[in-house]
Amino acid sequence: MNLRVVRSRRRQPAGARPPGDAGEAGGTPSAGASRTGQAAGQAGTFEAAWADERTLLVRKTLRCGQEVRYPGNVVVLGDVNAGARVVAGGDVIVVGALRGLAHAGAMDTPGAVVYAHRLQATQLRIGPTVARSPDRPGGAPDADRRSAAQGPEIARLRDGMVVIEPFPAPPGGGG
Amino acid sequence: MDGPTAIVITSGKGGVGKTTLTANLGTGLALLGKRTVLVDADIGLRNLDVVLGLENRIVFDIVDVVDGFCRLKQALIKDKRFEGLHLLPAAQTKDKSAVSPEQMERLCKELKQEFDVVLIDSPAGIEQGFRNAVAGADAAVIVTTPDVAAVRDADRIIGLLEAEGLGEPRLVVNRVRTDLVRRGEMMDVDDVVDILAVDLLGFVPEDERVVIATNRGEPAIMRQDSPAAQAMRDISRRLAGEAVPLAETAPPGFWSRLRRVLGLGAG
Ligand SMILES: Nc1ncnc2c1ncn2[C@@H]1O[C@H](COP(=O)(O)OP(=O)(O)O)[C@@H](O)[C@H]1O
Ligand SMILES: [Mg+2]
């Protein structure tokens, strides 16, 4: 793939957060958001970042109003609560409950996935595709959401649709 | 509780019971022998004094103190019923910008020289009033009701508290309606704890006697016939450092969670 070519050209995309910012994820969300948000239109820049294949480790629960944006992969060792969001150039891995918004492959990286220990997101984005949970009549409270999440799940794009499956795939299950 | 502590009672959302809990837990702590002062940090919308039935005694307020218009001692109101309980009232005519976070910090330091516990009643929201209320605090108690919007706001506040260095707040779930929980129409306490992932200090059932007592300007915590009062007495003791088991008043849901934790099958 041409990724390798891009990698050698540029390691650090303009406007991307340096890895050192990881510790204060969510501390100053707006600043980070505008910096990377501006670069989001420049697809080439982010391909370069993805080629770097760096991963940001967030060792805390992301709470409502907090946001992490990173050109590589993002791993959250905690929950991503409703009202929080993770936007990654690569994969989003949540070792906890994902209740907020996750956007993987934000720079249209092919093959990007979202994995969560408990996938309870009301909306997922992979690349340009948006998927939302089915509307519940009457907006039943939390009990619903909990029963919906049995185990770890992975979301990825198949034929332009977001498909969510148990992960690892159960033995004998098609997929 | 080792040494004097300033604790902020906060929530994000309004109307969840911050003022009610500040008044009642403060009374509870005073009854446990702690010298307690309640600080009304809801400047411009003061009502802690009304809930305590002390409105008619206010001469000076918190803004007068930070402006140097009076001494701290002059503004403190001694409660008429409970030995050791004091109130520093908010100003009614000023707005939140009348006090700065630095001034609040200094004020709390000064109060901790006189009192064992400083309980700060925070305004709703995440603006300057909130920042003032948390500025002098050593610890935080988050109040929420078991509904999605209040929990969302509580989550937001917990994130902001982390940024203020108040990283491990404790949680009170207020106005729990056991009947609705049983029918699956309301989140139960462990749903809330699951989402917010902080230590549970206790939960308080919905109880009309709280409203009735509050309207009379007397803390409900004294009532023997009220489940909410019992819950608030337990919470006061936990705040004072006693180990009071939660399970005594746990609604359905708590045990299923415990079973899950113990590996005894799904609840
Ligand atoms: N456990 C409870 N049961 C019934 N009513 C309650 C309870 N806790 C608080 N209330 C009522 O809810 C209303 C809002 O409480 P308040 O303490 O003023 O909230 P806040 O300070 O967070 O805005 C008041 O009318 C109060 O009496
Ligand atoms: Mg209030």
Side-chain angles (χ1 to χ4, degrees):
Chain A
M1 291 178 80
N2 61 356
L3 284 182
R4 181 175 302 193
V5 180
V6 184
R7 182 195 332 225
S8 61
R9 203 188 304 153
R10 194 175 192 183
R11 298 194 66 82
Q12 174 79 36
R17 274 184 175 213
D21 272 15
E24 43 176 58
T28 50
S30 53
S34 62
R35 265 190 287 152
T36 30
Q38 164 203 9
Q42 310 162 8
T45 315
F46 276 99
E47 250 179 76
W50 169 239
D52 227 3
E53 287 179 355
R54 283 169 308 153
T55 297
L56 173 68
L57 177 62
V58 180
R59 297 180 66 167
K60 61 174 231 158
T61 286
L62 291 176
R63 301 189 178 273
C64 180
Q66 298 181 329
E67 178 174 51
V68 167
R69 285 173 172 256
Y70 193 68
N73 309 301
V74 176
V75 177
V76 181
L77 218 51
D79 300 337
V80 176
N81 276 353
R85 55 163 81 197
V86 177
V87 180
D91 297 340
V92 176
I93 314 280
V94 180
V95 190
L98 170 57
R99 307 182 180 96
L101 188 137
H103 188 174
M107 290 70 104
D108 294 341
T109 314
V113 302
V114 174
Y115 163 95
H117 217 68
R118 283 154 69 195
L119 209 165
Q120 304 170 328
T122 47
Q123 197 190 92
L124 279 176
R125 298 184 195 169
I126 297 183
T129 311
V130 178
R132 56 177 171 76
S133 63
D135 293 325
R136 273 182 241 102
D142 217 35
D144 261 28
R145 250 195 296 165
R146 275 213 294 172
S147 61
Q150 304 91 354
E153 287 176 304
I154 194 163
R156 56 191 138 206
L157 274 190
R158 284 235 179 90
D159 305 325
M161 297 234 315
V162 175
V163 179
I164 301 173
E165 294 160 322
F167 187 87
Chain B
M1 221 181 258
D2 337 302
T5 322
I7 304 170
V8 61
I9 314 272
T10 186
S11 71
K13 194 162 184 280
V16 297
K18 294 178 294 294
T19 300
T20 306
L21 280 161
T22 305
N24 282 285
L25 298 181
T27 305
L29 286 164
L31 289 169
L32 290 169
K34 304 278 180 195
R35 287 170 303 162
T36 304
V37 61
L38 311 181
V39 178
D40 191 343
D42 200 348
I43 295 162
L45 278 176
R46 80 169 188 221
N47 49 28
L48 191 52
D49 53 303
V50 180
V51 170
L52 288 162
L54 296 175
E55 186 180 15
N56 57 357
R57 298 172 191 224
I58 297 178
V59 180
F60 299 111
D61 58 49
I62 190 169
V63 177
D64 295 326
V65 175
V66 299
D67 283 352
F69 193 69
C70 71
R71 281 176 295 114
L72 177 55
K73 284 241 168 69
Q74 292 176 288
L76 287 174
I77 299 166
K78 241 174 88 52
D79 189 87
K80 52 193 179 190
R81 294 147 298 198
F82 307 107
E83 184 69 32
L85 182 64
H86 295 74
L87 170 71
L88 179 59
Q92 189 74 287
T93 49
K94 314 273 178 20
D95 69 42
K96 300 179 196 314
S97 58
V99 177
S100 73
E102 294 73 30
Q103 287 172 322
M104 275 302 283
E105 225 177 306
R106 237 175 291 137
L107 183 67
C108 287
K109 272 213 187 88
E110 203 177 336
L111 286 168
K112 281 192 281 182
Q113 286 164 7
E114 298 289 322
F115 296 94
D116 301 317
V117 189
V118 181
L119 276 192
I120 305 155
D121 183 16
S122 153
I126 56 174
E127 311 302 332
Q128 174 161 3
F130 165 77
R131 287 204 303 279
N132 279 343
V134 303
D138 308 304
V141 170
I142 304 281
V143 185
T144 186
T145 49
D147 62 90
V148 179
V151 171
R152 189 77 60 92
D153 290 356
D155 191 51
R156 179 99 213 264
I157 287 289
I158 295 169
L160 295 175
L161 286 173
E162 276 168 12
E164 299 273 347
L166 293 169
E168 283 170 14
R170 287 177 290 174
L171 177 71
V172 173
V173 184
N174 189 25
R175 308 196 75 162
V176 177
R177 294 186 55 181
T178 324
D179 50 334
L180 290 187
V181 171
R182 205 172 278 135
R183 294 206 306 264
E185 303 282 354
M186 186 183 243
M187 279 180 176
D188 69 14
V189 174
D190 52 281
D191 288 330
V192 179
V193 173
D194 194 35
I195 290 171
L196 296 180
V198 291
D199 283 346
L200 180 65
L201 195 57
F203 60 89
V204 182
E206 170 80 22
D207 186 346
E208 64 180 17
R209 278 158 290 212
V210 172
V211 182
I212 295 167
T214 302
N215 287 339
R216 289 195 193 136
E218 53 188 45
I221 196 167
M222 296 302 294
R223 298 185 68 139
Q224 294 303 319
D225 59 347
S226 156
Q230 179 62 49
M232 292 191 289
R233 286 195 292 271
D234 286 351
I235 292 170
S236 307
R237 286 164 61 200
R238 286 185 204 110
L239 267 183
E242 285 180 45
V244 185
L246 269 175
E248 279 173 25
T249 39
F254 183 81
W255 289 108
S256 64
R257 179 177 172 78
L258 201 61
R259 262 202 310 279
R260 264 203 319 275
V261 171
L262 297 175
L264 299 177

